[in-house]
């Protein structure tokens, strides 16, 4: 069985399949880590997969990034190489953070500090769990927002702890500042591009998503 850590319900619906157990973060890293830890003794490997924010200039929504490392945890090199080939991905490090990196200035600072290509809120948790349990680890992420794009406030409040969409919070944010609507629409279009790329990539990987790619 492969453990797949991701953030949103929509990502989870795309990723579910035979031999894959999807665990949603929903922005709650403590719960995500606990659930991954509980499932790890029955797992053959751990992958962090889903959408991410770009840190490196030039990455656009729909582009794939595959990790060499997340923080101090190295990805399994054979697994990463096969994911990179199938997904036609850019290879480099991925950063994980406990809070959303929404501002373009914050993305630039994190890129300068770490050299990471992309950032998400699950990869560092998945990496820790894999290392703790001695399991192969990989991370493959689709860019949802470019490095020079600042997410509008309504986009930052749209995720519930269960990974679902918090539409009332989004509408409250829009009511408080309707001027952010154009930026929210642009963010939504970019996210749709990322979700479509995630679906295409998952279909291309098929059984190669899982532990069998290490054989």
């Amino acid at each position: 069985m492969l453990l797949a850590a991701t953030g949103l319900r929509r990502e989870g619906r795309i990723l579910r399949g035979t031999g894959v157990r999807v665990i949603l973060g929903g922005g709650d890293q403590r719960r995500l880590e606990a659930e991954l830890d509980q499932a790890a003794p029955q797992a053959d490997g751990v992958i962090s997969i889903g959408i991410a924010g770009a840190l490196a200039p030039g990455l656009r929504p729909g582009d794939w990034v595959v990790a060499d490392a997340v923080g101090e945890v190295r990805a399994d090199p054979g697994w990463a190489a096969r994911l990179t080939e199938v997904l036609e991905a850019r290879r480099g490090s991925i950063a994980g953070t406990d809070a959303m990196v929404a501002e373009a200035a914050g993305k630039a600072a994190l890129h300068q500090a770490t050299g990471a290509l992309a950032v998400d809120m699950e990869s560092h948790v998945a990496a820790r769990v894999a290392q703790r349990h001695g399991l192969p680890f990989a991370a493959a992420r689709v860019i949802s927002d470019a490095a020079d794009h600042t997410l509008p406030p309504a986009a930052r409040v749209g995720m519930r702890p269960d990974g679902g969409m918090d539409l009332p919070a989004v509408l409250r944010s829009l009511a408080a500042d309707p001027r952010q609507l154009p930026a929210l629409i642009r963010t939504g279009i970019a996210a749709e591009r990322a979700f479509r790329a995630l679906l295409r990539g998952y279909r291309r990987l098929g059984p190669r998503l899982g532990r069998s790619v290490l054989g």
Side-chain angles (χ1 to χ4, degrees), residues 126-169:
R128 281 200 303 265
V129 172
Q131 184 179 56
R132 186 156 57 239
H133 291 269
L135 293 171
F137 168 71
R141 290 279 170 163
V142 180
I143 299 303
S144 179
D145 50 288
D148 59 358
H149 177 65
T150 293
L151 297 176
R156 307 178 198 185
V157 298
M159 182 170 61
R160 297 197 311 257
D162 65 356
M165 182 179 179
D166 193 343
L167 184 57

Side-chain angles (χ1 to χ4, degrees), residues 113-199:
T114 66
L117 300 179
V119 60
D120 65 75
M121 297 171 64
E122 296 83 35
S123 286
H124 60 312
V125 178
R128 281 200 303 265
V129 172
Q131 184 179 56
R132 186 156 57 239
H133 291 269
L135 293 171
F137 168 71
R141 290 279 170 163
V142 180
I143 299 303
S144 179
D145 50 288
D148 59 358
H149 177 65
T150 293
L151 297 176
R156 307 178 198 185
V157 298
M159 182 170 61
R160 297 197 311 257
D162 65 356
M165 182 179 179
D166 193 343
L167 184 57
V170 173
L171 294 176
R172 287 193 298 270
S173 180
L174 274 174
D177 184 7
R179 294 172 299 176
Q180 64 179 303
L181 181 59
L184 184 63
I185 292 172
R186 289 193 297 272
T187 299
I189 292 171
E192 283 299 318
R193 189 173 296 128
F195 282 120
R196 289 196 299 268
L198 180 63
L199 178 59

